[in-house]
C-alpha cells in the first residue's frame, strides 16, 4: 500500500442533519472528493481518463462511523490504494475521516475498478492504466 494522501474539509452547516451531525451521505462525498483530489495530484484528470477510454467505477463501499462530526469541525480525509486483493480487475481504497485532534470519525473502504467506456466492462489490470496515465504513480502505491 502507498502512503496516505489527505485533503482537509470543513463540515458545513447545510451538510448536517436534524441531530446536528454530519449526514451519512456526505461522508461519501468527502471520500469521493479525496479520491478525485488524489487523481488530480497524480496528473489524472477526467478528460485524460475519457481520452484513454476509461472511467473509475465504485463497486462496493462500506462506512464505519466512529464519532459524530458537527458543523465547523475540520477533518482530514485520507486515501490509500491497495492493489493486493480482488480479481486483478479491482482495487481497494481505504480512507479515514479524522478530526484535527486525531479522533477517527469514520473508516471508509471502497472496491473500485476502471470501466472500459466502449466495451462497458472492467479493464483487466487497472494498475497498468494508472501507471500509464499518472505523472506520479507513487501516489497510488505503484
Amino acid at each position: 500500500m502507498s502512503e496516505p494522501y489527505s485533503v482537509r474539509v470543513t463540515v458545513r452547516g447545510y451538510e448536517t442533519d436534524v441531530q446536528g451531525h454530519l449526514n451519512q451521505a456526505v461522508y461519501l462525498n468527502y471520500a469521493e472528493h479525496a479520491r478525485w483530489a488524489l487523481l488530480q495530484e497524480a496528473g489524472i484528470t477526467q478528460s485524460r481518463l475519457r481520452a484513454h477510454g476509461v472511467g473509475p467505477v465504485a463497486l462496493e463501499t462500506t462506512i464505519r462511523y466512529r464519532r459524530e462530526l458537527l458543523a465547523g469541525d475540520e477533518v482530514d480525509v485520507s486515501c490509500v490504494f491497495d492493489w493486493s486483493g480482488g480479481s486483478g480487475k479491482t482495487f481497494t481504497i481505504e480512507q479515514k475521516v479524522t478530526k484535527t485532534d486525531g479522533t477517527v470519525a469514520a473508516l471508509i473502504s471502497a472496491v473500485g475498478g476502471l470501466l472500459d467506456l466502449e466495451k462497458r466492462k472492467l479493464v483487466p489490470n487497472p494498475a497498468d492504466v494508472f501507471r500509464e496515465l499518472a505523472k506520479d504513480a507513487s501516489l497510488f502505491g505503484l
Side-chain angles (χ1 to χ4, degrees):
M1 278 205 270
S2 60
E3 288 296 312
Y5 175 84
S6 183
V7 296
R8 180 150 296 171
V9 178
T10 301
V11 176
R12 295 165 289 254
Y14 62 83
E15 297 173 324
T16 60
D17 59 21
V18 72
Q19 289 94 342
H21 60 248
L22 187 65
N23 179 279
Q24 63 183 355
V26 179
Y27 285 87
L28 293 173
N29 289 334
Y30 288 3
E32 184 79 358
H33 173 65
R35 292 191 296 263
W36 277 106
L38 171 56
L39 287 170
Q40 283 284 136
E41 182 77 17
I44 300 176
T45 62
Q46 287 182 343
S47 60
R48 191 162 161 79
L49 288 163
R50 278 193 310 274
H52 198 75
V54 297
V57 291
L59 302 169
E60 176 184 317
T61 304
T62 303
I63 305 173
R64 291 174 210 84
Y65 303 99
R66 298 290 188 229
R67 294 288 184 273
E68 68 180 356
L69 293 175
L70 306 173
D73 284 346
E74 286 193 325
V75 295
D76 294 312
V77 184
S78 67
C79 189
V80 176
F81 277 65
D82 181 359
W83 304 94
S84 64
S87 65
K89 293 182 180 183
T90 63
F91 49 85
T92 303
I93 305 169
E94 299 296 338
Q95 296 183 264
K96 276 186 197 176
V97 179
T98 309
K99 294 170 82 168
T100 54
D101 69 1
T103 302
V104 175
L107 300 169
I108 302 165
S109 182
V111 176
L114 281 179
L115 184 70
D116 180 310
L117 298 176
E118 186 177 311
K119 296 177 183 175
R120 309 307 289 176
K121 295 187 183 245
L122 293 177
V123 300
N125 194 344
D128 289 345
V129 177
F130 276 91
R131 272 189 207 94
E132 182 180 337
L133 294 177
K135 292 178 183 167
D136 184 1
S138 70
L139 291 168
F140 302 107
L142 298 171

